[in-house]
């Protein structure tokens, strides 16, 4: 019986493609900017949570998921950006 490939197995194989690797790095750089925006604003997770009308643990989960490459809904991302005094811009190039 053949073993099922995990997501990490598939990612590892995909990263061997230079074009995919370039796109992956660019996407992760954007996610890093989202997390860095809170630190730049000098806000704690609790501060952001209060501005979003949620809990600190919800903001911690959101940021943890972002660091893992898991995007929240557009509504949640927009609320997070607004709490930081930012806005979300999506573009297709």
């Amino acid at each position: 019986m053949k073993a099922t490939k995990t997501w990490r197995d598939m990612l590892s194989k995909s990263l061997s493609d230079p074009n995919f690797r370039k796109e992956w790095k660019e996407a992760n750089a954007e996610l890093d900017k989202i997390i860095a925006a809170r630190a730049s604003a000098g806000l704690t997770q609790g501060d952001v949570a209060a501005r979003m009308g949620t809990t600190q643990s919800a903001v911690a989960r959101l940021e943890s998921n972002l660091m893992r490459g898991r995007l929240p809904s557009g509504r949640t991302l927009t609320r997070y950006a607004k709490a930081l005094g930012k806005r979300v811009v999506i573009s297709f190039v």
Side-chain angles (χ1 to χ4, degrees):
M1 180 181 230
K2 191 174 184 179
T4 304
K5 285 188 175 185
T6 66
W7 179 85
R8 290 200 185 279
D9 293 336
M10 293 179 356
L11 176 61
S12 180
K13 182 177 182 198
S14 295
L15 286 171
S16 66
D17 175 345
N19 292 325
F20 180 88
R21 187 172 49 253
K22 178 180 177 262
E23 294 295 326
W24 177 260
K25 285 181 179 182
E26 288 174 7
N28 281 326
E30 288 301 313
L31 294 175
D32 291 344
K33 287 180 190 176
I34 295 170
I35 300 297
R38 180 176 61 79
S40 298
L43 299 171
T44 66
Q45 289 178 340
D47 297 332
V48 174
R51 292 177 179 194
M52 289 178 68
T54 191
T55 63
Q56 178 275 327
S57 62
V59 173
R61 258 190 322 278
L62 168 69
E63 291 181 354
S64 177
N65 284 334
L66 285 169
M67 287 189 286
R68 291 184 177 102
R70 296 182 194 147
L71 292 175
S73 70
R75 181 176 183 267
T76 299
L77 189 57
T78 300
R79 287 175 56 219
Y80 184 80
K82 186 176 178 181
L84 299 175
K86 305 285 185 183
R87 61 189 176 95
V88 175
V89 177
I90 299 173
S91 63
F92 292 90
V93 182

